[in-house]
Amino acid sequence: MCGIAGVAGAVDAVALVRKMTGAMAHRGPDGQGFFGGSGIALGHRRLAIVDLSTAAAQPMTSADGRWTIVFNGEIFNYRELRSQLGSISWRSASDTEVLLEACAAWGAEAAVERAVGMFAFALWDARERELTLVRDRVGEKPLVYFEGALEGQPILAFASEVKALGALHSARIDPEALEVYLALGYVPAPLGIFRGTRKLPAGHLLRWKNGYLERRRWWFPEHSPGSAPAPSSLAPWKSKRESQEAAAKLRALVADAVRLRMRADVPLALALSGGLDSSVVALEMVRQGVSPQVFTVIFDGDQTDLPYARQVAAQLGLQHEVLRAESGDLAGQFHRTVEQFDEPFADSSAVAALALARAVGGRSKVILGGDGGDEAFGGYSHYEFIGAKQAAKACAAAVGLADGRGRTGVYVQSKCTFRAAERARLMERPGATEERVARDGLVSPAASGALTRWLERDEFHRVAPEGALKHALWSDRHLYLSNDLTYKMDLALASQGVEGRAPLLDHRILEWTQRLVDARLVHGRQKKVLLRQAYGGDLPPAIEARRKHGFGAPIAQWLQGPLKDLVRNLLPCPLLTPEAQRGVRGQRLWTLLAFAQWARQWGASW
C-alpha cells in the first residue's frame, strides 16, 4: 500500500502513486488499484488471501463515501467484529471491509483496540480531509513515510517499503539513523536512514491534516488487564492445581491464536524448524483438524533441524517436504538481500530468510511459523542468569569499561556491535567544521550519542517493568522484535508474494506472559518453562529437551571465503572514516559490509 496526502496543483498524484506501487509489485501479484481525490492519492497491490473476488479489491471506500482505506495485513477476528457491527449491507466477505466499517462506526483507535491482527493501514476522511496511518501492536507489518514538500506544498507520503519513496527523498543519509545502525545493526523506528523518511513505530498511529502531523501511541501493554507485577519473581506455585490452571490458560491462548490465523481462502503451509515453537503451532493446527503442507528449509548442507522436524511431522501425520535453499553465488545472494531490505541491515539471518522465501514462493501464499516464541516465553540464551549478567554489565558501565546508563541503556548498549566512541570515530570526517557538520550531517566524538538519545526519548522504555528478566524481555519485544525480526520476515516473504503468520506474536499471549513470575519463563538454564510444561508429553521428547538453534549465518566463514573479494571491493567504505574501518572482524565487518553494499546500490551520500 502507498499514498500521498496534500498534493495539489499540476502534480499528477495518481501517476506518482502508480510508480510507487510499481516499486512494490512483488508484495501484491494478484492485482492493483488506485484512488484519487482532492488532496489525496492512494494505491494498493493485492495479495488475495481472504475473499478472492474483486469485491475485496482496494482501495475500498465506505458505503457513505466518506472513508477510504488501503490496508496491508490481516484482521484475524474479522468475523467476530463483523457480527458486532450489526446490520450493514456488506459488499464482500473480506476483513478489509470489516476494518473499514469498524473505523467508520467506532473510530480508528477503538476499531484496532478490538482487533486481533497484523496490520498497517491508511484511512482517508474525505469530510475532514484527514489522513490516519496505523501500525499493529508488535510491528508485524511495516509502514514508512516521508514528510516534505512538493511544488512548495507540504505533503505526507507513505508506503510499505522505503523503495516506494525513492522519487521523493534525496538519498542523503540521516546521521542519527546511521549511528544507531552501527550500534544495533538495524535502524529502529521512528528513525529512517534517509533524511525526511521515518518509520511509524509499532503500536502507534499518525494523523496528518492541513500539513500538520501528530504521532502517538495507541497500544499500552503495561495497561492491559491484570498487568500488576507479581509479588515475587521466584514465588512457587501455591498448589499443583494453580500450576495446571496456568498451563491450561496458556494452551487456550495459543490454541485461539492458531485458530484465528488459519482463516484464509487459500491453502495453508507451515515452516517447521523442529524447534519447540513451530512444533507447538503444528500440534495446535492438527488438533483443530488442519493438516498443513509442512516445509523445512535447510541451508548449505546444515541439516541440524531436519531430524527434529521429521520426528514432529511423523508423530502428527503431516506431509513433510524438505526444501534445500540455493547454495553457491553467495555474493549474488548478498546483493539481492541488500537490495530487498531498503535500509542497511546487518542481521545475517536475512540471507537465510530470503532463501526460505524463494524456496516457498510459488508453493504457498500463507505460511505459519513459530516466530515470537523467544520473546513471549523467554527463549534466548542471554536470559540465563540475566540478573547476575546485568549487574556485572552495570558495574562495567559505571567504571567506563562499557557503554550504558540506566537499566535500558546498560542492557541495549551491552549488545551493541560498535561502542559509542567507535561509532563516533567511524563517522568523524577530516575537516568537520561546524559549518560542514550543519550542512552534511557529519559528527565528531563530542557530538555523538544518537543511541543514548534514542533510548532516552523512546516512550516504551520509560514504562519498562522492574526486574532484570522482565526488563530484558520488554526491551527485546519493543526493540529487536519490532524493528529487526518482524521487519526481516515481512520483507523477505513479501519479496516472493508470501504472507507469514506468527500465532505466538498474538498480543493476548504477550500481555499475559508479561505478568507471569520470572520462574515460569526462565529458571537458571531452563527457558520457556511454562510452555514446556503446557505441552509436555504432546511432542517428541527430543523436541522438549532441545536447546535453541539459531537462524544465523556462518559469517566468519563467509567473510574469509566466498565474500572475500566483495570485502576487498567495498571496504573501506568512503562514507565512513577509512582508518576506523581497519582491522574489524566478525559481526563488525559484516555490519560495515552490509552498509557499504547498501550505500552503493542506493547511491547514498551525505
Side-chain angles (χ1 to χ4, degrees), residues 254-255 257-259 261-262 269-272 275-288 290 292 294 312 316 318 367-373 377 501-505 509 531 535 539:
V254 173
V258 171
R259 176 184 69 86
R261 283 160 182 79
M262 290 193 296
L270 173 70
L272 183 63
L276 179 61
D277 301 330
S278 63
S279 299
V280 165
V281 174
L283 174 63
E284 288 294 352
M285 293 179 78
V286 171
R287 281 179 170 174
Q288 297 180 43
V290 175
V294 174
V312 175
L316 298 178
L318 295 173
I367 186 163
L368 278 70
D371 286 346
F377 305 110
R501 297 182 176 183
L504 302 184
L505 286 179
I509 294 176
L531 184 66
Y535 289 92
L539 294 168

Side-chain angles (χ1 to χ4, degrees), residues 22-29 45 161 163 340 491 494-498:
M24 302 184 296
H26 51 275
R27 297 189 72 92
R45 295 289 314 200
E161 297 184 16
K163 57 176 63 70
Q340 177 59 24
L491 266 72
S495 73
Q496 303 298 317
V498 178

Side-chain angles (χ1 to χ4, degrees), residues 207-240:
R207 284 199 169 96
W208 190 92
K209 184 176 182 180
N210 296 328
Y212 294 97
L213 202 63
E214 175 198 11
R215 192 191 79 209
R216 59 192 180 84
R217 183 156 66 111
W218 67 267
W219 182 47
F220 299 87
E222 69 274 15
H223 297 163
S224 62
S227 61
S232 171
S233 63
L234 294 176
W237 296 118
K238 295 178 181 178
S239 65
K240 183 177 180 180

Side-chain angles (χ1 to χ4, degrees), residues 509-573:
I509 294 176
L510 294 173
E511 290 176 352
W512 187 72
T513 57
Q514 79 178 4
R515 305 193 300 268
L516 293 173
V517 296
D518 290 4
R520 311 306 159 235
L521 301 172
V522 179
H523 188 55
R525 302 201 69 182
Q526 300 177 40
K527 298 181 291 297
K528 300 182 181 176
V529 173
L530 183 57
L531 184 66
R532 295 179 192 278
Q533 177 189 340
Y535 289 92
D538 295 328
L539 294 168
I543 303 300
E544 297 178 45
R546 188 186 182 194
R547 292 182 64 82
K548 180 175 176 59
H549 175 62
F551 199 47
I555 58 174
Q557 176 184 337
W558 286 359
L559 291 169
Q560 295 174 12
L563 294 182
K564 190 174 182 179
D565 290 340
L566 194 64
V567 173
R568 187 182 301 112
N569 292 334
L570 288 173
L571 297 178
C573 175

